[in-house]
Amino acid sequence: MPDPHFVHAAFSSIASRYVTANHVLSLGTDILWRERALKIVAEWAPNKLLDIATGTGDLALTIKRALPEVDVLGTDFCRPMLDIAVQRGLTNVLEADAMNLPLPDASFDVATVAFGLRNMADYGKALCEFRRILRPGGHLLVLDFSMPEGVMAAPYRFYLHHILPRIAGWLTGNMRAYDYLGESIESFPRGAAFCDLLTRCGYQAPVALPLMGGIATIYTAEK
């Protein structure tokens, strides 16, 4: 499991260049993935939404701008990332550990986490905490990287471990943070394994939606 001290230090060091690096490294596809997540969230028509590990606010801002009637709160344990989110327009933020949220039980209709769960020290504990703050009938959406299968697997793995860290190191000044990215993606449960984890954490009707052949995946589930 990831070391929270390393994760905090890594993201603090790259906060100011995080958004640009994401767009360059994904060739802009991360924007499309968030738009797909937005469409799913819109179908749920929430009143209150918690965006966990909001980072620089990418997903929270995507949702808030498209659905201004939704009360969106972004949380993250990394203050430098939250500061960037606030500068970008996400004014409702809370500095908090995702595995110990200082929020009441059953207080949100939807919880989202994009590219953040993979960095947490205990996936199961985190998912149980997200379930705690969801109202009965509420929804969880997790968007994260995964590993493609078939002919895409080998070239993507080469890109992930040998090319991406060098480009990211040049963009952000912290190559080690992106060496860690590849390691974390390889070890993160994906597809059926992640759906099984959701079920063990008490969620119902888990669904996996692969994106771009499995480079990323959207997972949804209900409380």
Side-chain angles (χ1 to χ4, degrees):
M1 290 292 185
D3 176 358
H5 299 292
F6 170 79
V7 172
H8 188 281
F11 281 97
S12 295
S13 73
I14 65 175
S16 63
R17 299 182 181 181
Y18 181 75
V19 175
T20 299
N22 282 353
H23 295 341
V24 171
L25 293 170
S26 71
L27 302 178
T29 54
D30 63 309
I31 298 172
L32 300 178
W33 298 339
R34 291 186 183 91
E35 289 293 330
R36 184 69 184 90
L38 167 63
K39 291 180 181 179
I40 295 171
V41 169
E43 292 173 359
W44 294 332
N47 292 315
K48 292 187 66 178
L49 181 146
L50 181 66
D51 187 45
I52 303 158
T54 197
T56 53
D58 290 283
L59 181 57
L61 287 166
T62 297
I63 294 169
K64 189 63 183 175
R65 288 164 180 165
L67 307 171
E69 72 280 5
V70 179
D71 181 2
V72 177
L73 171 63
T75 69
D76 203 286
F77 83 145
C78 183
R79 188 72 232 181
M81 296 286 276
L82 279 181
D83 289 341
I84 299 296
V86 171
Q87 292 172 21
R88 299 176 70 210
L90 185 64
T91 55
N92 192 16
V93 300
L94 173 67
E95 185 176 354
D97 183 345
M99 293 189 294
N100 187 24
L101 295 166
L103 297 166
D105 294 355
S107 52
F108 290 86
D109 305 303
V110 169
T112 59
V113 54
F115 308 110
L117 178 60
R118 178 175 36 80
N119 300 313
M120 295 178 192
D122 189 319
Y123 310 139
K125 182 178 178 181
L127 288 169
C128 289
E129 179 68 350
F130 306 163
R131 184 177 180 277
R132 179 188 67 79
I133 58 88
L134 281 174
R135 294 172 178 151
H139 293 86
L140 172 71
L141 182 146
V142 176
L143 166 60
D144 219 313
F145 290 113
S146 48
M147 291 297 298
E149 298 179 356
V151 295
M152 289 182 61
Y156 181 70
R157 185 169 275 114
F158 182 84
Y159 169 75
L160 186 63
H161 292 288
H162 300 285
I163 299 175
L164 183 149
R166 288 174 170 77
I167 299 173
W170 176 72
L171 288 170
T172 67
N174 188 342
M175 182 173 170
R176 176 61 190 128
Y178 288 88
D179 282 332
Y180 156 80
L181 175 66
E183 296 164 7
S184 69
I185 293 172
E186 292 273 15
S187 61
F188 191 62
R190 54 189 179 267
F194 190 80
C195 288
D196 288 344
L197 177 59
L198 287 167
T199 301
R200 294 198 302 272
C201 292
Y203 292 90
Q204 297 180 348
V207 174
L209 174 64
L211 305 170
M212 288 193 66
I215 290 175
T217 303
I218 291 176
Y219 301 95
T220 60
E222 302 174 11
K223 177 174 178 177

